[in-house]
């Protein structure tokens, strides 16, 4: 049990005793204040949209007071009303303006900001700066680019303010009932908000899915990669859906039932669970399957693309995330797709494999591909940790992703175990993941062949298979690349029989 919790239980016990003895209620009030002083916090929260409102209520449910600030007085009033209706322990205080907001907070102040990243966040910081005192803290809970967070930490700390960059995952539901939180910044800043944030976070077997991972933009880097993996996972689900729908001619309801069945095996995860719900849903307007009326143009806000860009800078593989981003990019240009289909004819053809065999192969292919997606994600994290000297605890990262976040899945418990025990240099080499890959790679190969030979785009499945095949090829074809580089640019190469020495080939003699 954490020290804070022990203290909380002790004070709660004292409170019960006092309530029994004290008829006037005075001692009880003292005990409540004492309890608040020891453990409860009074934070500020700026940005009372869907996420902000839900997170404020979550903090209040845990007994923390929260001062609210938003451009919309109505949204704040609604949030305060909703909280009252639920009888939450902490108080929510709607503030009329920034001055009143800042005054309402005890010093040193801790202010959480949940507004869109970029310009809106900078406006909030600029508004707060002249009103705050040295030692006050601003924490950004948005999906900011980690390089911006690095700059903000440096700039604000120069002025004596503290700044934390925190990724928060789980959507509105998570914000209300327990998100997964990945923090970065100074240890001193983290210590300030750790208690209330861990109270409000999702719990996995009692452990809060909320941690601090290092200085500067490290928390936002981890959240960005979480989203990169999220993109790859979602693309695999979409490709599996496409093969079942366009290839095997299955209805959305049948596909939803397949996804539901996958929840009983190693694919058990939040994204597969909601894929089943999305596929099984009916459009209230037409009575058709909801999936059949949704326009096939994917949106994106940037975190997937940033993950790929950063992975490329770091020299780490991210082909599955890249496949997912590219699929979204191409999906977005619906008009061009329609024109191309008219010119070349539609690509996906009916698949003649029996439905039962194809669906069974798909489940296995998903397992192998998912292992590859996580392996790539953790390769990027390890590379960043070494390059930026962040000293990431990869097991701890997997632990905060076990509950509350969008990529939560049974795999993550296994991943945290692998890194905790330090049994393998690479996720795929850990015995448990070797088994998953050995058992399921043949099915991944057959699904890629089935997809490609029938004209179905399967970029994420293909990227997973190529990644795994390249990683396990002892003698690659890079000798040809080296030969070509040396031929046209005298870039030199090493010989198998003289490692470490540089040679030129006999090309121009
Ligand atoms: C989460 C989500 C959340 C959001 C992303 C993805 O972890 O709760 O990842 O952060 O859904 O912004 O958005 P796009 O798909 O629009 O890029």
């Amino acid at each position: 049990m954490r020290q804070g919790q022990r203290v909380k239980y002790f004070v709660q016990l004292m409170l019960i005793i006092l309530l029994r003895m004290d008829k006037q209620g005075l001692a009880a009030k003292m005990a409540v204040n004492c309890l608040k002083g020891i453990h409860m916090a009074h934070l500020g929260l700026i940005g009372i949209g869907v996420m902000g409102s839900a997170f404020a209520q979550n903090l209040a449910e845990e007994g923390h007071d929260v001062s609210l600030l938003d451009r919309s007085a109505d949204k704040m009033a609604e949030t305060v009303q909703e909280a009252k209706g639920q009888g939450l322990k902490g108080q929510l205080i709607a503030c009329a303006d920034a001055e009143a907001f800042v005054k309402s907070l005890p010093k040193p102040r801790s202010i959480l900001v949940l507004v869109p990243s970029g310009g809106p966040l900078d406006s909030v910081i600029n508004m707060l700066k002249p009103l705050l005192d040295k030692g006050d803290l601003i924490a950004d809970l948005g999906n900011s680019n980690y390089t911006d967070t690095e700059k903000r930490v440096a700039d604000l700390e120069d002025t004596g303010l503290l700044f934390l960059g925190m990724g928060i995952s789980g959507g509105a539901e998570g914000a209300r009932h327990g998100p997964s939180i990945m923090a970065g910044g100074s240890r001193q800043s983290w210590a300030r908000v750790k208690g209330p944030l861990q109270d409000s976070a999702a719990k996995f077997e009692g452990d809060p899915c909320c941690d601090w991972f290092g200085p500067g933009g490290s928390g936002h880097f981890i959240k960005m990669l979480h989203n990169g993996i999220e993109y790859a996972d979602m693309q695999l689900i979409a490709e599996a859906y496409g093969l079942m729908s366009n290839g095997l001619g299955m209805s959305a309801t049948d596909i939803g039932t397949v996804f539901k069945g996958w929840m009983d095996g190693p694919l058990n995860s939040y994204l597969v669970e909601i894929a089943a719900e999305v596929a099984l849903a009916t459009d209230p307007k037409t009575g058709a399957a909801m999936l059949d009326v949704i326009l096939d143009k994917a949106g994106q806000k940037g975190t997937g693309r940033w993950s790929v860009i950063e992975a490329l800078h770091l020299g780490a593989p991210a082909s599955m995330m890249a496949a997912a981003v590219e699929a979204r990019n191409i999906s977005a240009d619906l008009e061009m797709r329609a024109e191309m289909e008219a010119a070349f004819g539609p690509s996906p053809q009916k698949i003649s494999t029996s439905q039962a065999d194809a669906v069974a192969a798909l489940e296995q292919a998903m397992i192998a591909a998912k292992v590859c997606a996580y392996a790539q994600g953790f390769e990027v994290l390890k590379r960043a940790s070494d390059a930026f000297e962040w000293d990431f605890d990869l097991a701890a990262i997997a632990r905060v992703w076990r509950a509350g976040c969008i990529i939560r899945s049974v795999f993550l418990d296994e991943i945290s175990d692998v890194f905790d025990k330090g049994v393998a240099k690479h996720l795929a080499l850990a015995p448990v993941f070797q088994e998953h890959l050995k058992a399921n790679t043949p099915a991944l190969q057959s699904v890629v062949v089935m997809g490609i030979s029938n004209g179905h785009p399967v970029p994420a499945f293909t990227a997973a298979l190529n990644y795994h095949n390249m990683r396990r090829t002892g003698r690659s074809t890079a000798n040809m690349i080296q030969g070509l580089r040396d031929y046209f640019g005298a870039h030199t190469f090493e010989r198998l029989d003289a490692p470490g020495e540089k040679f030129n080939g006999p090309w121009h003699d």
Side-chain angles (χ1 to χ4, degrees):
M1 200 189 298
R2 282 183 298 128
Q3 172 74 12
Q5 267 169 329
R6 252 184 261 129
V7 173
K8 191 172 162 183
Y9 292 142
F10 172 74
V11 179
Q12 275 170 344
L13 183 69
M14 296 299 294
L15 178 59
I16 292 166
I17 296 168
L18 284 167
L19 276 169
R20 292 244 162 115
M21 290 166 38
D22 174 35
K23 302 280 178 251
Q24 316 284 306
L26 284 174
K29 198 163 179 216
M30 268 169 59
V32 170
N33 288 339
C34 165
L35 180 64
K36 280 190 166 188
I38 287 173
H39 195 68
M40 300 300 123
H42 183 165
L43 305 164
L45 179 59
I46 300 182
I48 313 301
V50 180
M51 293 280 288
S53 168
F55 198 51
Q57 293 180 43
N58 180 345
L59 286 163
E61 181 158 37
E62 295 300 325
H64 304 293
D65 295 336
V66 188
S67 295
L68 311 177
L69 185 65
D70 193 273
R71 272 188 306 201
S72 161
D74 288 350
K75 277 191 201 158
M76 288 194 286
E78 231 173 80
T79 302
V80 172
Q81 266 324 104
E82 275 175 30
K84 277 194 182 136
Q86 298 164 73
L88 303 179
K89 282 179 272 170
Q91 236 194 316
L92 295 187
I93 306 137
C95 300
D97 53 34
E99 284 77 12
F101 172 79
V102 168
K103 265 197 196 130
S104 75
L105 293 168
K107 291 183 190 174
R109 306 173 182 94
S110 299
I111 299 172
L112 313 177
V113 185
L114 243 168
V115 301
S117 53
L121 174 63
D122 284 328
S123 308
V124 167
I125 294 173
N126 290 336
M127 170 189 80
L128 287 173
K129 259 183 2 195
L131 303 173
L132 297 181
D133 298 310
K134 280 195 172 35
D136 287 347
L137 165 80
I138 302 175
D140 165 26
L141 274 69
N143 270 332
S144 292
N145 189 303
Y146 84 99
T147 52
D148 293 339
T149 306
E150 296 268 302
K151 279 193 216 107
R152 288 183 186 121
V153 169
D155 290 353
L156 286 165
E157 295 200 347
D158 273 352
T159 69
L161 295 174
L162 305 178
F163 189 80
L164 274 177
M166 291 196 286
I168 164 164
S169 176
E173 186 64 19
R176 177 64 187 85
H177 299 292
S180 162
I181 300 174
M182 298 136 252
S186 70
R187 273 185 194 277
Q188 181 198 2
S189 312
W190 171 237
R192 191 75 86 58
V193 286
K194 177 181 171 187
L197 290 182
Q198 290 198 333
D199 286 345
S200 69
K203 309 286 180 304
F204 183 87
E205 294 173 357
D207 283 345
C209 293
C210 168
D211 214 339
W212 172 86
F213 292 100
S218 58
H220 274 139
F221 190 95
I222 293 171
K223 175 59 178 33
M224 174 187 77
L225 247 292
H226 164 282
N227 284 22
I229 298 172
E230 173 187 302
Y231 271 52
D233 260 356
M234 289 168 70
Q235 179 61 23
L236 289 171
I237 290 172
E239 289 174 23
Y241 157 71
L243 289 168
M244 288 190 271
S245 167
N246 304 325
L248 301 170
M250 293 168 63
S251 68
T253 311
D254 289 345
I255 296 168
T257 309
V258 169
F259 287 146
K260 224 172 164 182
W262 289 357
M263 289 298 288
D264 298 330
L267 293 174
N268 183 304
S269 59
Y270 173 70
L271 282 169
V272 168
E273 182 187 347
I274 64 168
E277 288 186 20
V278 168
L280 290 168
T282 304
D283 174 29
K285 188 171 161 196
T286 59
M290 214 43 238
L291 272 176
D292 295 341
V293 298
I294 298 178
L295 185 69
D296 52 328
K297 269 172 88 165
Q300 56 182 313
K301 295 196 199 78
T303 45
R305 188 169 58 236
W306 299 342
S307 300
V308 179
I309 294 170
E310 291 308 325
L312 289 175
H313 279 313
L314 289 162
S319 55
M320 297 182 67
M321 300 175 209
V325 172
E326 186 167 281
R328 290 198 196 192
N329 292 345
I330 293 178
S331 84
D333 196 346
L334 190 54
E335 268 175 41
M336 179 63 81
R337 285 192 285 126
E339 220 173 293
M340 291 276 202
E341 187 177 75
F344 296 100
S347 179
Q349 307 296 319
K350 288 280 166 259
I351 293 171
S352 56
T353 318
S354 89
Q355 186 175 306
D357 288 352
V359 167
L362 261 177
E363 180 175 10
Q364 288 193 298
M366 282 289 286
I367 296 168
K370 209 170 154 82
V371 173
C372 293
Y374 286 78
Q376 288 194 345
F378 279 96
E379 274 201 52
V380 182
L381 287 168
K382 173 80 178 76
R383 199 63 76 91
S385 174
D386 293 345
F388 306 135
E389 295 178 359
W390 280 337
D391 198 20
F392 279 161
D393 178 346
L394 298 181
I397 296 176
R399 275 198 295 274
V400 301
W401 289 349
R402 289 179 304 177
C405 70
I406 303 295
I407 63 167
R408 63 187 184 258
S409 74
V410 292
F411 268 18
L412 281 159
D413 201 23
E414 292 177 334
I415 295 174
S416 63
D417 233 41
V418 165
F419 287 128
D420 253 339
K421 292 184 183 135
V423 287
K425 258 171 75 182
H426 189 278
L427 204 59
L429 288 173
V432 55
F433 290 107
Q434 275 197 41
E435 264 173 50
H436 280 312
L437 283 169
K438 285 177 183 161
N440 299 303
T441 303
L444 174 58
Q445 183 163 321
S446 75
V447 163
V448 169
V449 170
M450 179 174 83
I452 288 181
S453 58
N454 290 287
H456 292 258
V458 281
F461 278 121
T462 310
L465 183 63
N466 281 331
Y467 164 68
H468 182 50
N469 285 346
M470 283 194 284
R471 267 278 180 253
R472 70 191 181 118
T473 295
R475 171 106 173 114
S476 74
T477 54
N479 46 339
M480 176 53 100
I481 305 291
Q482 289 297 79
L484 295 170
R485 290 177 71 240
D486 188 57
Y487 187 101
F488 63 68
H491 293 295
T492 74
F493 53 80
E494 285 178 67
R495 291 177 58 98
L496 285 169
D497 54 8
E501 288 179 52
K502 303 275 182 213
F503 296 91
N504 291 110
W507 336 112
H508 306 297
D509 292 344

